């Protein structure tokens, strides 16, 4: 074998051995933090409008119970199951929340140690095996069509000295991440509902009647204490039968009007289906079953001998310029244990009573055309057959009368439709109002007056 051939063989063998050594030498592992950094938690969830439900579970350390809040879409109608399927105005809010979840990425790895969960606040609120009541996170679950889970994570505490960054963990994984989180997740009932409950503008209110009475729940006797009539005349409120030396307290009056314009509720209770159906029939007679009567009485409402519906804490009538007449009837203190925002206040749930409890509110409306007088009709409609240049003064006058009458007819039609729409919404629910709203609206003559200033 020639020397050149030997050299070639040795060289080839050396290259082969070097390649084999490189292939078999252990390589340093790339840390997971570099592999995962910047990755989304749910890469297949990219369209926030795919979300059809949002469930948020928090943990109450005092009661050691998980508290669920859910918004769901049933055949195009958004409802809140935990609030007796009350309608939710939540599509936009849900889409924003979903977009926020889509935007969460794995910025850093914090720990794989289960013992760190409490400090990070990422213990699953549903974990019955966890011994600590502290350190429970907020579990957020978003579903799409056919109840498919699009996202499911546990949002923990904010990372110290890193504003906007939170500890995040997936429920079925041990690893805890650090992620920048931009989410507006609310479990407040009022954040998910139509906030304009009465759909009334305080500037449109021109009449308020306070019916100050109560009912003896044992004998059903009515204690008619007073009726206060208030009217808005030229922007100034007037009261009938003002005692000498007294005048309307404008600040109290303004507070009441503001509370009516922005009436807050903290929950709802469904009325019996039969009662709700009866109440949607504006202007028709009602046939109330015994079970419906018991439902009404449990909430503090009774029928008088003349068929009028009364409440055990009086009522307020509110009239508007568009002919809508609201009646707000104040019922019993809401009682109940552990029923979420629809339940009683803490004091009532603890068996106490006082001035701070939530209270039932029963709302109805009717159309009152007395404040919308009918204008005169035109003497004839001859102007319709003439060109504008051929109109006589009488024709022009008749045309003006016709336009005014058409505007009146539209106001009447709109007012009646609004009443029908409102009654259809109010008929299904007993509303639950907080103590501060009750105190601002539930007034009597003495509460509205102050010493007259000279």
């Amino acid at each position: 074998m020639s020397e050149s051939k030997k050299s070639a063989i040795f060289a080839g063998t050396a290259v082969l051995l070097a390649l084999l050594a490189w292939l078999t030498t252990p390589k340093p592992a790339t840390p997971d933090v570099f592999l995962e950094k910047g990755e989304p938690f749910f890469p297949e969830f990219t369209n926030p409008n795919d979300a059809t439900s949002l469930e948020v579970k928090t943990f109450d350390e005092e009661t050691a119970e998980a508290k669920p809040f859910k918004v769901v879409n049933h055949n195009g109608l958004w409802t809140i199951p935990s609030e007796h399927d009350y309608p939710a105005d939540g599509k936009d809010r849900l889409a924003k929340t979903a977009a926020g979840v889509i935007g969460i990425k794995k910025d850093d790895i914090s720990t794989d140690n289960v013992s760190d969960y409490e400090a990070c606040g990422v213990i699953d609120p549903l974990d019955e095996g966890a011994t600590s009541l502290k350190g429970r996170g907020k579990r957020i679950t978003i579903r799409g069509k056919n109840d498919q889970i699009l996202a499911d994570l546990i949002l923990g505490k904010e990372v110290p000295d890193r504003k906007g960054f939170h500890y995040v963990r997936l429920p079925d994984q041990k690893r805890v991440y650090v992620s920048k989180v931009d989410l507006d997740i609310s479990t407040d009932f009022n954040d998910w509902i139509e906030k304009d409950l009465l759909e009334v503008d305080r500037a449109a209110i021109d009449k308020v009647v306070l019916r100050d009475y109560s009912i003896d729940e044992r004998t059903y006797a009515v204690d008619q204490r007073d009726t206060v009539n208030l009217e808005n005349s030229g922007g100034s409120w007037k009261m009938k039968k003002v005692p000498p030396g007294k005048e309307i307290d404008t600040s109290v009056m303004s507070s009441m009007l503001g509370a009516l314009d922005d009436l807050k509720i903290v929950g709802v209770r469904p009325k019996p289906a039969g009662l709700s159906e009866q109440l949607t029939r504006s202007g028709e007679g009602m046939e109330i079953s015994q079970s419906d009567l018991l439902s009404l009485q449990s909430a503090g409402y009774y029928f008088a001998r003349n068929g009028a519906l009364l409440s055990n804490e009086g009522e307020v009538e509110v009239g508007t310029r568009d002919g809508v007449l609201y009646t707000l009837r104040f019922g019993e203190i809401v009682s109940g244990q552990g029923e979420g925002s629809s339940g009683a206040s803490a004091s009532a749930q603890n068996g106490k009573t006082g001035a701070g409890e939530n209270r039932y509110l029963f709302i109805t409306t009717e159309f009152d055309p007395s404040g919308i007088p009918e204008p005169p009709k035109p003497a004839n409609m001859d102007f319709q057959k003439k060109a504008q240049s051929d109109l006589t003064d009488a024709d022009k006058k008749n045309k003006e009368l016709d336009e005014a009458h058409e505007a009146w007819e539209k106001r009447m039609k709109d007012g009646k439709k609004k009443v029908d729409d409102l009654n259809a919404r109010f008929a299904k629910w007993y509303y639950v109002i907080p103590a501060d709203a009750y105190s601002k609206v539930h007034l009597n003559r003495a509460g509205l007056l102050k010493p007259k200033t000279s």
Side-chain angles (χ1 to χ4, degrees):
M1 182 181 293
S2 66
E3 289 298 325
S4 61
K5 185 176 289 187
K6 288 181 180 180
S7 298
I9 291 172
F10 289 149
T13 302
V15 171
L16 183 61
L17 289 172
L19 179 61
L20 182 62
W22 182 83
L23 291 172
T24 57
T25 301
K27 305 294 189 298
T30 303
D32 286 347
V33 67
F34 296 111
L35 289 175
E36 296 187 90
K37 188 175 178 64
E39 285 189 357
F41 279 91
F42 310 102
E44 295 182 2
F45 181 28
T46 58
N47 185 353
N49 293 312
D50 288 342
T52 60
S53 76
L54 166 70
E55 188 167 15
V56 182
K57 299 183 183 73
T58 56
F59 190 80
D60 189 332
E61 294 180 6
E62 292 185 5
T63 63
E65 292 179 340
K67 299 177 64 177
F69 181 87
K70 190 173 184 178
V71 182
V72 64
N73 187 311
H74 284 305
N75 299 321
L77 176 65
W78 292 89
T79 62
I80 306 173
S82 60
E83 297 293 340
H84 310 284
D85 286 325
Y86 189 75
D89 185 31
K91 182 178 180 181
D92 292 341
R93 175 177 284 274
L94 178 56
K96 290 178 181 177
T97 302
V101 170
I102 290 172
I104 301 177
K105 293 180 172 56
K106 301 172 182 178
D107 293 309
D108 290 303
I109 293 176
S110 174
T111 181
D112 287 322
N113 195 336
V114 175
S115 63
D116 294 329
Y117 284 6
E118 181 178 334
C120 296
V122 292
I123 299 176
D124 190 338
L126 302 179
D127 187 352
E128 297 180 356
T131 57
S132 176
L133 298 181
K134 298 182 179 297
R136 305 281 181 137
K138 184 181 291 184
R139 184 164 177 176
I140 303 163
T141 306
I142 297 176
R143 297 176 186 269
K145 291 181 179 179
N146 301 319
D147 220 27
Q148 176 191 4
I149 293 179
L150 302 177
D152 190 13
L153 59 82
I154 300 168
L155 181 64
K157 297 177 182 178
E158 189 171 40
V159 179
D161 302 321
R162 296 188 69 180
K163 186 174 178 60
F165 285 82
H166 287 254
Y167 297 109
V168 178
R169 183 171 73 86
L170 299 181
D172 59 349
Q173 295 183 15
K174 291 177 60 177
R175 177 159 292 172
V176 179
Y177 299 88
V178 171
S179 302
K180 185 171 180 58
V181 178
D182 184 15
L183 282 177
D184 179 18
I185 299 180
S186 174
T187 58
D188 186 339
F189 175 64
N190 269 283
D191 287 341
W192 289 93
I193 65 172
E194 170 57 61
K195 291 182 172 60
D196 192 1
L197 179 63
L198 298 181
E199 295 184 13
V200 62
D201 184 348
R202 62 181 295 170
I205 299 174
D206 58 7
K207 179 176 67 174
V208 176
V209 180
L210 309 178
R211 302 193 187 281
D212 182 15
Y213 66 83
S214 63
I215 297 175
D216 187 316
E217 296 177 24
R218 291 180 296 106
T219 64
Y220 299 156
V222 181
D223 180 12
Q224 295 279 6
R225 292 186 288 265
D226 193 9
T227 299
V228 182
N229 290 279
L230 296 154
E231 291 186 1
N232 189 344
S233 177
S236 177
W237 283 91
K238 308 294 182 183
M239 178 193 293
K240 296 180 180 179
K241 301 179 182 179
V242 177
K246 298 283 187 177
E247 64 180 1
I248 294 177
D249 189 327
T250 55
S251 64
V252 175
M253 188 72 202
S254 178
S255 177
M256 177 176 67
L257 295 172
L260 290 169
D261 185 5
D262 187 30
L263 187 61
K264 299 295 185 187
I265 62 174
V266 294
V268 293
R269 296 286 178 82
K271 293 172 184 167
L275 177 59
S276 297
E277 183 180 353
Q278 293 284 338
L279 291 169
T280 58
R281 301 174 183 174
S282 302
E284 295 186 15
M286 295 179 63
E287 297 178 2
I288 303 299
S289 69
Q290 185 64 29
S291 61
D292 292 347
L293 283 174
L294 292 175
S295 172
L296 286 165
Q297 291 174 10
S298 69
Y301 301 103
Y302 306 85
F303 279 99
R305 291 179 179 176
N306 63 0
L309 180 62
L310 302 176
S311 49
N312 63 359
E313 288 300 327
E315 61 192 58
V316 174
E317 285 186 1
V318 180
T320 67
R321 296 193 184 105
D322 56 6
V324 180
L325 181 64
Y326 299 83
T327 301
L328 282 61
R329 298 177 175 89
F330 305 102
E332 286 282 1
I333 292 169
V334 179
S335 61
Q337 179 68 28
E339 298 186 34
S341 60
S342 283
S345 62
S347 61
Q349 290 184 5
N350 290 329
K352 302 176 182 179
T353 59
E357 294 88 357
N358 301 332
R359 190 173 290 273
Y360 282 114
L361 176 65
F362 191 119
I363 309 174
T364 57
T365 64
E366 60 183 281
F367 185 63
D368 177 15
S370 61
I372 313 177
E374 182 179 5
K377 294 181 179 180
N380 60 67
M381 305 293 286
D382 294 345
F383 64 88
Q384 292 182 331
K385 304 174 184 178
K386 299 180 182 179
Q388 182 67 30
S389 58
D390 295 332
L391 295 181
T392 64
D393 290 342
D395 290 331
K396 293 177 182 178
K397 179 63 176 177
N398 283 330
K399 183 178 180 182
E400 291 175 0
L401 291 174
D402 183 58
E403 290 172 349
H405 200 271
E406 284 185 350
W408 172 81
E409 288 178 337
K410 185 177 185 305
R411 285 186 67 190
M412 294 285 286
K413 181 179 179 181
D414 290 347
K416 291 176 181 177
K417 183 179 185 306
K418 185 172 183 178
V419 164
D420 288 341
D421 291 344
L422 288 172
N423 277 339
R425 173 151 55 107
F426 297 149
K428 297 179 181 179
W429 309 101
Y430 298 116
Y431 293 94
V432 182
I433 59 172
D436 59 344
Y438 174 68
S439 62
K440 290 176 182 177
V441 178
H442 183 255
L443 298 171
N444 56 23
R445 190 181 300 272
L448 268 169
L449 295 174
K450 67 175 184 177
K452 192 171 186 178
T453 56
S454 55

